[in-house]
Amino acid sequence: MKDIVELLKQFNINYHDISLYEMAFTHSSFNADAKTKHHDYERLEFLGDSVLGCVVSELAYKSRSDMNQGDLTKLKSALVSTKSLADFAREYHFDEYVRVGHSFARNIRESDNVLEDVFEAFIGAMFLDQGFVNARKFLISTLYRDIQKFHLEDLQDYKSKLQEAMQGEHRESVTYEIIKESGPAHNKHFVSRVLFDGIEIGVGEGSTKKAAEQMAAKSALEKKVDKVR
């Protein structure tokens, strides 16, 4: 486990109370080993969830004038979903700072639920230590690109649909490969292909790896429908 101070330096956070951040990265299983109670991220997670919801709603409203109320709700739900928050946590390598007890047997990096909780707890800790303005700045820098590039079509889980369609006929699973990556860090572009039994069955592009994979799956599904016709 890495020193939490190193993480805070990466974000240029001049902390006032380091214990808040230590708690944000402490799983409840650690209490048994440390003989403590409530010295974990659960209460901070509760607070961070509210801060996150407020900032996402404000940012979505101000930056997506093309969306109605229903679309904004879908956008917010997508951004604060377990998978999305866990992916943000992975991007920042939060898993390398989490304290767990001996009873915790899972791989933290693969646990979406834990990483979601840690991300929200980190926001809660920042809110208490740095104030709402700084917590808001951090969230805007994290979420702005995804909000700007969000399309309602992104909510379609083409990957799951393709997996179900292929496994309905075969036992093998499909796999994905990123075959091209271009653009600067703030404006990446990815090209992905989906393979079945080593054969390319679809290609897609997107501003994130996930989006490119979804478009590759959509391409494969469309080809499958065309064959039936």
Side-chain angles (χ1 to χ4, degrees):
M1 184 190 73
K2 293 184 177 180
D3 187 346
I4 193 67
V5 173
E6 294 303 314
L7 178 66
L8 299 182
K9 286 181 179 178
Q10 292 180 33
F11 294 126
N12 296 315
I13 296 176
N14 296 315
Y15 61 86
H16 302 291
D17 186 354
I18 190 64
S19 68
L20 287 170
Y21 300 98
E22 291 174 342
M23 193 178 299
F25 284 82
T26 300
H27 187 264
S28 58
S29 62
F30 187 81
N31 284 313
D33 294 355
K35 294 181 172 56
T36 53
K37 186 177 181 180
H38 297 315
H39 192 80
D40 53 59
Y41 59 58
E42 292 181 354
R43 284 167 53 82
L44 284 171
E45 172 203 345
F46 162 78
L47 179 60
D49 176 68
S50 296
V51 176
L52 179 65
C54 176
V55 174
V56 170
S57 297
E58 177 201 1
L59 189 55
Y61 178 84
K62 289 182 176 179
S63 61
R64 295 304 300 266
S65 59
D66 58 312
M67 289 186 168
N68 60 30
Q69 179 185 6
D71 292 343
L72 288 172
T73 298
K74 292 176 183 177
L75 168 57
K76 179 183 177 183
S77 296
L79 285 175
V80 301
S81 69
T82 297
K83 186 68 170 63
S84 292
L85 298 184
D87 283 342
F88 287 131
R90 290 188 188 93
E91 181 180 344
Y92 295 136
H93 300 284
F94 279 9
D95 54 292
E96 298 176 7
Y97 300 87
V98 181
R99 296 191 297 183
V100 298
H102 288 96
S103 63
F104 189 91
R106 289 170 286 167
N107 183 329
I108 295 174
R109 190 165 182 80
E110 296 178 359
S111 178
D112 285 355
N113 289 329
V114 170
L115 291 177
E116 174 198 16
D117 294 347
V118 169
F119 184 87
E120 291 178 335
F122 177 69
I123 299 304
M126 188 185 298
F127 170 75
L128 292 176
D129 186 62
Q130 301 287 302
F132 178 76
V133 171
N134 287 319
R136 178 179 176 274
K137 286 181 180 178
F138 172 80
L139 286 171
I140 288 176
S141 67
T142 299
L143 301 169
Y144 184 76
R145 185 185 66 180
D146 285 10
I147 287 179
Q148 286 290 79
K149 294 184 176 181
F150 178 84
H151 299 285
L152 291 175
E153 191 176 56
D154 293 342
L155 296 179
Q156 293 290 333
D157 191 355
Y158 296 111
K159 291 176 67 174
S160 293
K161 290 180 179 178
L162 178 61
Q163 187 68 33
E164 292 173 3
M166 298 306 291
Q167 288 193 324
E169 302 173 4
H170 314 275
R171 291 187 178 181
E172 295 85 354
S173 298
V174 295
T175 57
Y176 295 84
E177 291 182 356
I178 298 297
I179 56 178
K180 185 177 180 181
E181 179 178 338
S182 59
H186 67 279
N187 190 26
K188 285 285 190 181
H189 183 79
F190 300 91
V191 179
S192 174
R193 66 173 181 170
V194 56
L195 305 169
F196 179 74
D197 197 22
I199 300 174
E200 181 182 294
I201 59 174
V203 176
E205 303 180 29
S207 57
T208 65
K209 292 180 181 179
K210 291 188 298 182
E213 290 174 354
Q214 287 285 357
M215 291 301 98
K218 180 183 179 184
S219 172
L221 283 167
E222 290 172 346
K223 290 178 181 177
K224 187 175 176 62
V225 171
D226 288 340
K227 284 183 179 180
V228 173
R229 291 174 181 170

